[in-house]
Amino acid sequence: MALLTRRSVLTGLGFSTIIGTTAGLVLSPSFRDLALGSGEKLAYQTHRLIGRNALAPEFTEADMSPDFRTNGNTMPKSSDYQRHMETDFANWQLQVDGLVSTPKAFSLAALKAMPARTQITRHDCVEGWSAIGKWTGVPLSALLSQVTLLPSARYLVLHCADDFSGDAYYESIDLVDAFHPQTILAHTMNDQPLSVGHGAPLRLRVERQLGYKQAKYIMRIEATATLAATGLGKGGFWEDQIGYDWYAGI
Ligand SMILES: Nc1nc2c(c(=O)[nH]1)N[C@H]1C(S)=C(S)[C@@H](COP(=O)(O)O)O[C@H]1N2
Ligand SMILES: [Mo]
């Protein structure tokens, strides 16, 4: 197995069936009761079984896409956001709360002063386009160490400033991805402050999952025990609206 890449494992039906079966045997019954679709469940099990900390591929400057398109919302309409945009996000704050022992708010300056990670990765949108970009930001694990998750925390919900017809965008990840070394809150893209189109002032990069998980315009991160109380209960805006997989493993 060690010779196979994750992608070949996932696309090689024979191998993935074996892995799926093996994963099913070793994972607890409560895990298997999770309401995941079969392809989604297979990706989740495979990542968790053989790739808990596997890294997404990182690229070189030479690989960067000359044009990284935007998608989804590119200009949040709320007056609150508009005001922050006009003042270069000087008074904007990221709220981190929910099941944490010390809820905190972080200014953009405070986030930019924290140790940052830079990674050149490929963004894959479910609609069929990809782009390679350079992202710099605060490892989510470093932020979480400042608020301390309570033992009951299981998920992080990202609440965004933008909306579709009045419904705000939101996404969520589990704690394996939250503490993954490539999971960062990016404030910088291609060595420039993150543009409004790409999610200013702060967006998630969770590199082992598809584009719609990469929440832009993050205003608040909430630690929760379940996803039941968020949106319609499937953990994300598109998951709730059109049934996209919650675990969008690549
Ligand atoms: N808040 C918010 N985050 C979002 C979206 C959105 O509409 N709103 N679109 C998602 C989708 S489908 C994709 S492909 C990427 C697009 O990121 P980009 O605009 O930087 O290319 O953002 C994701 N995150
Ligand atoms: Mo997307």
Side-chain angles (χ1 to χ4, degrees), residues 116-137:
R117 186 185 208 280
T118 295
Q119 59 207 28
I120 300 175
T121 54
R122 196 187 61 223
H123 176 106
D124 294 320
C125 173
V126 71
E127 292 163 25
W129 59 274
S130 298
I132 294 178
K134 187 201 265 191
W135 303 98
T136 301

Side-chain angles (χ1 to χ4, degrees), residues 69-73 123 162 164 169 198 203 211 214 216:
R69 57 165 286 185
T70 55
N71 201 32
N73 279 324
H123 176 106
D162 59 316
F164 289 92
Y169 199 88
H198 287 295
R203 66 101 50 89
Q214 323 295 326
K216 307 195 281 190

Side-chain angles (χ1 to χ4, degrees), residues 189-228:
M189 177 189 183
N190 297 350
D191 300 316
Q192 301 296 320
L194 190 62
S195 67
V196 169
H198 287 295
L202 198 70
R203 66 101 50 89
L204 180 70
R205 293 304 308 173
V206 52
E207 303 290 359
R208 299 184 302 174
Q209 296 200 54
L210 290 172
Y212 61 88
K213 301 297 291 189
Q214 323 295 326
K216 307 195 281 190
Y217 316 114
I218 303 171
M219 300 298 289
R220 175 179 173 222
I221 298 178
E222 178 194 13
T224 67
T226 86
L227 297 174

Side-chain angles (χ1 to χ4, degrees), residues 73 75-78 80-81 84 92-95 156-164 166-172 185 198-204 211-222 230 235-239:
N73 279 324
M75 175 59 75
K77 300 182 283 286
S78 88
D80 218 34
Y81 182 88
H84 286 309
W92 171 94
Q93 289 194 315
L94 171 71
Q95 305 289 335
L156 294 181
V157 179
L158 307 134
H159 298 276
C160 306
D162 59 316
D163 68 273
F164 289 92
D167 291 326
Y169 199 88
Y170 50 96
E171 257 304 338
S172 62
L185 297 170
H198 287 295
L202 198 70
R203 66 101 50 89
L204 180 70
Y212 61 88
K213 301 297 291 189
Q214 323 295 326
K216 307 195 281 190
Y217 316 114
I218 303 171
M219 300 298 289
R220 175 179 173 222
I221 298 178
E222 178 194 13
T230 301
F237 181 83
W238 291 119
E239 290 88 325

Side-chain angles (χ1 to χ4, degrees), residues 48-97:
R48 292 302 176 269
L49 182 68
I50 63 171
R52 259 183 100 72
N53 288 308
L55 298 174
E58 293 193 21
F59 299 84
T60 68
E61 306 241 343
D63 302 314
M64 285 167 60
S65 303
D67 181 31
F68 195 124
R69 57 165 286 185
T70 55
N71 201 32
N73 279 324
T74 53
M75 175 59 75
K77 300 182 283 286
S78 88
S79 54
D80 218 34
Y81 182 88
Q82 292 285 324
R83 222 172 320 116
H84 286 309
M85 194 178 74
E86 279 155 22
T87 51
D88 254 341
F89 304 100
N91 302 314
W92 171 94
Q93 289 194 315
L94 171 71
Q95 305 289 335
V96 186
D97 58 20

